[in-house]
């Protein structure tokens, strides 16, 4: 009995162990579930972070152009892909690990319950056999005692001389009956004992070991399943490592794509004005009236009076040009850009004409498309009503007329600018040497480019009130020398209208720098042209009208 109870205790221990195994399995499943939630939240937070810092592009003009910005947005895209891989990890863990664990836990509980039920049934059956054997044993023991009593009674009566023969015979029959009952109970007890011993042997050597084996196999499969899930837990992460590596490589490539020179060039191209830098401030010689005489100069007095330029006026002009790089003048910009220098005004007008032509072309294309659609509707009324297109067509035609008027108005303004430049060029050069040919928007060589980096500084051009006294000069009269200059640096003079010079060469000054950085000079052989003021050391004659000395 003690051995049987020990065996029963072992079965209870296995019951507890298998329950612990299932609890541990579910504990690990809970751990995986929380890890999945962490991955999902991490991916969600990463995506929100990317969305927060991605540019909100309402138009193409707001698209980033700097390489550093483009690189950052590429990194955001890679980070978004990285967040997607975290979602893949969560999905893989949920399907391959957590889902598998929950399914297996359910099957494990069912299998464990079945094995434990079989064990309990086997134990109950063995207990039943033991009770039957014990009952037969107790009954056999009781019958043996009754037989002993019957034998003692018979022997006592048989030896008693006073006892009648009938009492002796009755005692003998009672003895035989009890002996027979004892023998039957003995046989029953022997059979029950043999049966119990057989069932007990079967129970402990066949049934219970088989149940224990099933429980052991179940527990080992549970351990194997945990091992597989441990591996799947790691594999879920390892699978995305190549893609995550590509994301990180993309971030590194984005970092390497940053080009500081290109970004600087974008800034330069965005903010360059196209205006010429201001020229040097001339020396204001307030003593010029002391040394000058009326008879000085080679031109007549009316012309001298016409060319007399007040130093304050000259300085005022120079200061007036500084607004392009410093403070802007007060008041709104003019529609015809008359507040700009001629070259810049022509450039702005030409840009506006080009833009208007593009808009006109769009309206023309739209008009053609509407006419074709109207023609289709007229031929196939089921496709649409031709009259529904008339309002849009009328609006388009009105827009085209408006754009043509705008183009015509701006072309008139640009023609005005080009006419002034042409007139100025004719006045500045003799009829025999036609250096400057007015061809629309021109630079000193007679050509113009829209690229501000390729623009060449134009020779000085007078405009405004000076155009009036310029007309007093005869075209064929050569301008008098008002001073001389020495070339500090060599100048190639490739552009038409300019004059080449060598370092140290002495030239005559026939026209001062009007604030645009060019000075008109003449060689001794009569060649004339413009040279950069910053390339020469100028000395003007004190007795020349309007002459000042450059320091």
């Amino acid at each position: 009995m003690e051995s049987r109870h020990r065996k029963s205790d072992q079965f209870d221990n296995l019951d507890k162990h298998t329950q612990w195994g299932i609890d541990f399995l579910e504990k690990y499943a809970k751990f995986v579930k929380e890890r999945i939630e962490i991955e999902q939240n991490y991916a969600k937070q990463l995506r929100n972070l990317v969305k927060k810092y991605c540019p909100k592009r309402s138009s193409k003009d707001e698209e980033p152009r700097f390489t550093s910005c483009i690189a950052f947005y590429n990194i955001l895209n890679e980070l978004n892909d990285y967040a997607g891989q975290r979602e893949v990890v969560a999905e893989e863990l949920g399907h391959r690990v957590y889902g598998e664990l929950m399914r297996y836990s359910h099957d494990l509980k069912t299998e464990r319950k079945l094995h434990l039920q079989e064990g309990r049934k086997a134990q109950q059956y063995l207990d039943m056999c033991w009770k039957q054997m014990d009952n037969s044993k107790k009954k056999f023991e009781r019958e043996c005692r009754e037989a002993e009593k019957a034998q003692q009674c018979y022997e006592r009566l048989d030896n008693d001389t006073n006892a009648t023969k009938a009492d002796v015979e009755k005692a003998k029959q009672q003895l035989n009956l009890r002996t027979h009952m004892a023998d039957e109970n003995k046989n029953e007890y022997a059979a029950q004992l043999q049966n119990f011993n057989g069932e007990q042997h079967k129970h402990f050597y066949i049934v219970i070991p088989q149940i224990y084996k099933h429980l052991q196999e179940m527990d080992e499969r549970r351990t194997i399943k945990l091992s597989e899930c441990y591996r799947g837990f790691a594999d879920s992460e390892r699978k995305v490592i190549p893609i995550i590596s590509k994301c990180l490589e993309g971030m590194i490539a984005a970092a390497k794509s940053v080009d500081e020179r290109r970004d600087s060039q974008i800034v330069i191209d965005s903010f360059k004005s196209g205006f010429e830098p201001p020229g040097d401030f001339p020396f204001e010689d307030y003593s010029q009236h002391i040394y000058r005489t009326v008879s000085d100069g080679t031109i007549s007095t009316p012309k001298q009076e016409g060319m007399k330029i007040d130093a304050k006026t000259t300085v005022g002009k120079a200061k007036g040009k500084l607004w392009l790089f410093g403070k802007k003048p007060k008041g709104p910009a003019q529609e015809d850009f008359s507040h700009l220098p001629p070259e810049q005004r022509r450039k702005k007008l030409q840009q506006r004409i080009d833009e208007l032509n593009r808009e006109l072309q769009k309206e023309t294309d739209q008009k053609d498309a509407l006419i074709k659609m109207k023609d289709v509707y007229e031929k196939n009324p089921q496709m649409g009503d031709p009259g529904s297109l008339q309002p849009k067509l009328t609006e388009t035609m009105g827009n085209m007329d408006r754009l043509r008027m705008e183009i015509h108005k701006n072309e008139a303004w640009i023609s005005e600018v080009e006419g002034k430049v042409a007139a100025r060029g004719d006045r500045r050069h003799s009829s025999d040497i036609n250096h400057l040919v007015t061809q629309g928007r021109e630079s000193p060589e007679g050509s113009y480019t829209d690229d501000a980096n390729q623009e060449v500084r134009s020779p000085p051009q007078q405009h405004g009130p000076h155009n009036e006294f310029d007309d007093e000069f005869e075209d064929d009269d050569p301008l008098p020398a008002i001073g001389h200059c020495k070339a500090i640096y060599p100048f190639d003079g490739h552009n038409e209208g300019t004059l080449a010079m060598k370092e140290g060469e002495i030239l005559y000054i026939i026209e001062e720098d009007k604030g645009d950085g060019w000075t008109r000079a003449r060689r001794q052989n009569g060649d004339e042209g413009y040279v950069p003021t910053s390339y020469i050391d100028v000395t003007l004659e004190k007795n020349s009208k309007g002459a000042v000395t450059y320091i």
Side-chain angles (χ1 to χ4, degrees):
M1 287 294 295
E2 185 179 353
S3 175
R4 187 168 65 85
H5 286 300
R6 285 200 300 269
K7 293 289 186 180
S8 178
D9 292 341
Q10 295 302 325
F11 185 79
D12 293 339
N13 290 335
L14 287 179
D15 185 355
K16 294 178 181 178
H17 173 74
T18 52
Q19 181 61 47
W20 171 87
I22 293 176
D23 292 342
F24 183 80
L25 185 77
E26 292 181 342
K27 182 178 181 181
Y28 177 68
K30 184 180 179 183
F31 161 78
V32 175
K33 182 181 180 181
E34 292 183 6
R35 166 67 189 276
I36 291 171
E37 293 174 353
I38 290 174
E39 289 291 349
Q40 290 172 340
N41 292 333
Y42 180 45
K44 182 179 179 180
Q45 290 175 355
L46 284 179
R47 288 195 184 278
N48 290 338
L49 181 66
V50 170
K51 184 178 180 181
K52 178 180 179 182
Y53 283 91
C54 271
K56 297 176 177 61
R57 300 174 184 175
S58 58
S59 64
K60 291 185 177 180
D61 295 337
E62 296 180 6
E63 293 182 357
R65 297 173 296 162
F66 297 106
T67 58
S68 56
C69 295
I70 295 173
F72 175 60
Y73 296 139
N74 289 337
I75 288 173
L76 289 178
N77 290 333
E78 296 293 348
L79 188 60
N80 194 58
D81 294 341
Y82 176 84
Q85 295 309 306
R86 304 319 308 179
E87 292 173 343
V88 170
V89 171
E91 183 178 354
E92 185 74 7
L93 286 174
H95 173 70
R96 182 176 176 182
V97 182
Y98 180 73
E100 183 66 22
L101 283 172
M102 297 309 294
R103 286 190 298 270
Y104 186 74
S105 175
H106 179 269
D107 296 341
L108 194 64
K109 290 177 180 178
T110 304
E111 183 181 358
R112 173 181 176 274
K113 183 178 180 181
L114 178 63
H115 293 324
L116 294 178
Q117 285 177 350
E118 290 177 352
R120 291 189 181 94
K121 286 180 180 180
Q123 190 66 43
Q124 290 172 359
Y125 178 71
L126 184 63
D127 290 342
M128 182 190 68
C129 293
W130 180 83
K131 288 180 179 179
Q132 290 177 351
M133 183 271 297
D134 189 58
N135 289 335
S136 63
K137 176 183 176 182
K138 290 179 179 179
K139 190 175 182 181
F140 169 60
E141 183 182 5
R142 187 171 58 250
E143 290 298 329
C144 287
R145 285 197 299 269
E146 291 295 330
E148 288 178 359
K149 289 179 181 179
Q151 185 176 1
Q152 291 175 0
C153 181
Y154 169 72
E155 290 178 353
R156 181 174 53 81
L157 291 174
D158 187 45
N159 294 327
D160 188 2
T161 56
N162 296 323
T164 62
K165 186 176 182 180
D167 293 335
V168 173
E169 189 64 27
K170 185 178 180 180
K172 185 178 181 180
Q173 290 178 359
Q174 188 67 25
L175 175 61
N176 291 335
L177 178 63
R178 290 298 177 183
T179 302
H180 178 70
M181 292 290 292
D183 290 340
E184 286 184 355
N185 281 283
K186 179 181 179 181
N187 294 333
E188 177 68 20
Y189 168 63
Q192 290 295 335
L193 180 61
Q194 184 179 3
N195 179 67
F196 172 75
N197 288 333
E199 291 298 332
Q200 181 175 255
H201 184 277
K202 180 182 177 181
H203 176 82
F204 287 109
Y205 287 93
I206 298 176
V207 177
I208 291 298
Q210 189 69 24
I211 293 174
Y212 284 178
K213 181 180 180 183
H214 290 161
L215 290 172
Q216 179 182 351
E217 291 174 351
M218 180 193 72
D219 196 60
E220 288 176 352
R221 288 198 306 272
R222 175 191 63 83
T223 306
I224 292 172
K225 180 60 66 175
L226 280 174
S227 175
E228 292 175 353
C229 291
Y230 293 160
R231 188 179 299 110
F233 186 87
D235 286 341
S236 299
E237 181 90 16
R238 188 168 59 181
K239 279 184 178 180
V240 301
I241 287 178
I243 302 178
I244 288 178
S245 296
K246 290 187 179 296
C247 293
L248 297 177
E249 289 172 3
M251 294 181 186
I252 294 174
K256 292 181 179 179
S257 68
V258 175
D259 187 345
E260 70 281 1
R261 293 189 178 276
R262 183 177 176 184
D263 287 0
S264 298
Q265 189 60 43
I266 290 174
V267 176
I268 293 170
D269 294 341
S270 299
F271 300 118
K272 64 183 178 183
S273 63
F275 299 121
E276 295 293 338
D280 296 335
F281 278 87
F283 175 73
E284 300 181 28
D285 190 358
Y286 294 103
S287 63
Q288 57 186 340
H289 300 291
I290 301 175
Y291 299 103
R292 289 178 183 171
T293 60
V294 177
S295 61
D296 289 340
T298 58
I299 57 177
S300 62
T301 302
K303 292 184 180 180
Q304 288 175 352
E305 292 298 325
M307 288 190 63
K308 185 174 181 180
I309 302 174
D310 186 27
K312 292 183 180 179
T313 304
T314 305
V315 175
K317 287 183 181 179
K319 289 182 179 178
K321 291 189 177 183
L322 287 178
W323 72 267
L324 300 175
F325 302 91
K327 297 181 180 179
K328 281 192 174 183
K330 296 182 179 179
Q334 300 297 325
E335 182 184 5
D336 59 355
F337 299 113
S338 59
H339 61 289
L340 296 176
E343 187 62 28
Q344 296 299 325
R345 180 187 181 192
R346 178 166 48 198
K347 180 179 179 180
K348 293 292 184 181
L349 289 172
Q350 187 61 45
Q351 289 176 349
R352 181 186 290 171
I353 291 173
D354 294 341
E355 183 178 352
L356 291 172
N357 281 325
R358 286 194 293 270
E359 293 181 9
L360 179 61
Q361 184 61 41
K362 290 181 181 178
E363 296 293 335
T364 304
D365 294 341
Q366 184 172 356
K367 182 199 72 173
D368 295 340
L370 290 171
I371 292 174
K372 290 180 181 178
M373 189 178 297
K374 183 178 180 181
D375 184 54
V376 171
Y377 286 177
E378 289 175 350
K379 294 179 180 179
N380 302 281
Q382 68 276 9
M383 298 183 66
D385 181 15
S388 63
L389 301 176
Q390 189 59 40
K392 185 66 177 178
L393 188 59
T394 303
E395 180 185 353
T396 304
M397 297 292 289
N399 291 338
M400 291 175 61
D401 293 340
R402 176 180 58 80
L403 291 171
R404 288 193 184 100
M405 292 178 63
E406 288 290 327
I407 292 172
H408 179 72
K409 182 168 61 174
N410 282 274
E411 286 178 345
W413 285 335
I414 203 171
S415 297
E416 176 187 346
V417 176
E418 291 170 347
K420 290 181 179 180
V421 173
R424 190 187 301 104
D426 291 341
R427 286 194 303 270
R428 282 183 170 176
H429 302 281
S430 64
S431 59
D432 296 333
I433 304 175
N434 186 15
H435 290 291
L436 296 178
V437 179
T438 304
Q439 298 176 355
R441 305 163 64 196
E442 63 183 3
S443 60
E445 68 273 14
S447 62
Y448 177 79
T449 173
D450 286 332
D451 189 353
N453 291 330
Q454 297 176 358
E455 283 188 19
V456 181
R457 298 175 62 182
S458 302
Q461 299 170 347
Q462 288 183 332
H463 51 84
H466 299 284
N467 291 335
E468 298 176 359
F469 69 81
D470 281 345
D471 294 337
E472 298 178 9
F473 292 99
E474 296 295 334
D475 290 342
D476 295 335
D477 290 342
L479 294 175
I482 59 175
H484 64 275
C485 67
K486 180 179 180 181
I488 305 174
Y489 309 105
F491 179 63
D492 52 21
H494 288 328
N495 296 331
E496 187 174 356
T498 59
L499 182 66
M501 61 181 180
K502 299 179 181 179
E503 183 179 353
E505 185 176 358
I506 304 298
L507 303 173
Y508 293 113
I509 300 298
I510 58 177
E511 188 174 322
E512 302 175 45
D513 186 347
K514 302 302 181 182
D516 54 10
W518 294 88
T519 299
R520 191 172 179 184
R522 179 194 300 138
R523 284 200 183 94
Q524 293 182 358
N525 60 5
D527 292 341
E528 296 181 1
Y530 290 94
V531 295
T533 306
S534 59
Y535 280 40
I536 57 177
D537 182 12
V538 179
T539 303
L540 297 180
E541 301 297 337
K542 293 182 179 180
N543 58 355
S544 296
K545 292 294 182 179
V548 295
T549 303
Y550 283 68
I551 303 299

